[in-house]
Amino acid sequence: MEFKFNFFQELDSTNIYAKNMAKNGACEGLCIIADSQTNGYGRMGRNFHSPESTGLYMSLVLRPKIKPQDALLITTAAAVAVSNAIDKISGKASFIKWVNDIFIDGKKVCGILCESAIDIQSGLLDYCILGIGINLTDPKNGFPEDIKDIAGSVFGNECTNNAKEELISLILSNFDSCYRDLTSKNFYPSYKQKCFIIGKKVAIIKNGIPEEHTVCDVNNDFKLITKNQNGDICTLDSGEVSLKWNI
Ligand code: BTN
C-alpha cells in the first residue's frame, strides 16, 4: 500500500476527518495524524482522551474488498501490528486484551477503532477507517480521574520525535504485511500468543449485566471461548459483549 500523510495540530477526531475524506473518494493509504483531538472517541461511543503532544492519534483510510463480517480481521491485524511495533521501539512487552486494546504492565496504552461503510451494490466494504490511539507518554496533568487507574503510557515520561516517527512507520509496515493477505489470518498465532487473558477469570458484560467466566481460548474467528460458573462453554462475539479482566 502506498501511504500519504496529512498532519494536523488539532482535529475533533482523526476518524471523523478520515471518514469524510473517504466519503469524498480518498484513496486507500491516506493517513490522518493529529497532535491532539477535541472529540476523540472509541468503541461504544466512549471518549478517548487525546491531549496534545503526549499521544499518537491516527486514522488510515482502507478500501478492502472483503465482506462486512470479515471487518474484524482489520482490527485484530492492527492489534498485532501495533503491539509488535510498540515492543520493538520501546523494548517493553505489550499484550492484547481481546478484542483490540493494547496493555503494558496491566494498563491500557492503546485503543483501536475500526469504522466501516458497506457498498450496497457489491455487499462488500466500501471503505474502512482504522483509528489507532496510543498514549506515548503520561499526560502533563496526569490521566483524568475516571481512567487514571486503568490508563498507562508506552514510554512514561519522555518520548523523542524520532521514536514517534519510527513507531508510525513500523505500525504501518507491520499492518501492511498482514493486510496484503488478510483473509489467510496468518497473524492469528501472534494474536493468540499476545492475548493475556487466556486462562484468566473475567467479567463478561452483556446487556449491562456482568457474569464471571474463565477464558479458555480465542478461536481463529477471534471469538472468545469461555466457561461460565455452571461449566457451560460459551463462544462470545466482540460485537455482543464487553469484558472486564481485572476482577
Ligand atoms: C477504544 O479504546 O475503544 C478505541 C480508541 C480509538 C482512539 C483512536 S485515536 C485516533 C482515532 N480517532 C478517534 O476519534 N478515535 C481513534
Side-chain angles (χ1 to χ4, degrees), residues 113-221:
L113 173 70
C114 199
E115 297 184 281
S116 333
I118 300 168
D119 175 60
I120 306 285
Q121 272 178 353
S122 65
L124 301 177
L125 292 190
D126 174 19
Y127 65 80
C128 178
I129 307 301
L130 171 61
I132 299 171
I134 305 179
N135 305 326
L136 295 173
T137 53
D138 298 338
K140 288 169 197 133
N141 303 323
F143 287 103
E145 198 56 33
D146 55 331
I147 58 166
K148 76 173 190 342
D149 295 333
I150 50 162
S153 71
V154 173
F155 296 99
N157 290 330
E158 206 193 348
C159 166
T160 60
N161 261 343
N162 222 0
K164 184 171 174 177
E165 276 164 26
E166 281 177 27
L167 195 56
I168 295 169
S169 137
L170 196 53
I171 288 171
L172 293 175
S173 68
N174 286 352
F175 177 74
D176 196 22
S177 45
C178 299
Y179 184 71
R180 275 162 206 269
D181 196 10
L182 196 64
T183 50
S184 75
K185 304 183 200 174
N186 55 15
F187 56 90
Y188 166 69
S190 311
Y191 183 93
K192 189 168 158 173
Q193 203 193 345
K194 280 188 160 282
C195 234
F196 71 85
I197 55 163
I198 295 176
K200 292 220 159 62
K201 281 203 169 70
V202 297
I204 297 294
I205 302 141
K206 197 170 183 177
N207 304 323
I209 303 160
E211 198 180 275
E212 192 178 299
H213 288 229
T214 302
V215 178
C216 307
D217 199 6
V218 175
N219 74 9
N220 85 339
D221 286 327

Side-chain angles (χ1 to χ4, degrees), residues 12-16 37 39-44 46 48 50 56-59 100-101 108 110-113 131-134:
D12 50 354
S13 152
T14 55
N15 259 39
I16 294 178
Q37 300 182 114
N39 188 25
Y41 58 92
R43 292 178 68 223
M44 330 254 181
R46 286 192 207 112
F48 188 81
S50 315
L56 169 58
Y57 317 113
M58 72 176 188
S59 299
N100 53 8
D101 290 335
K108 175 168 166 174
C110 165
I112 296 170
L113 173 70
I132 299 171
I134 305 179

Side-chain angles (χ1 to χ4, degrees), residues 52-67:
E52 61 176 318
S53 309
T54 61
L56 169 58
Y57 317 113
M58 72 176 188
S59 299
L60 180 64
V61 175
L62 299 168
R63 295 202 179 268
K65 302 270 171 295
I66 57 172
K67 300 188 198 103

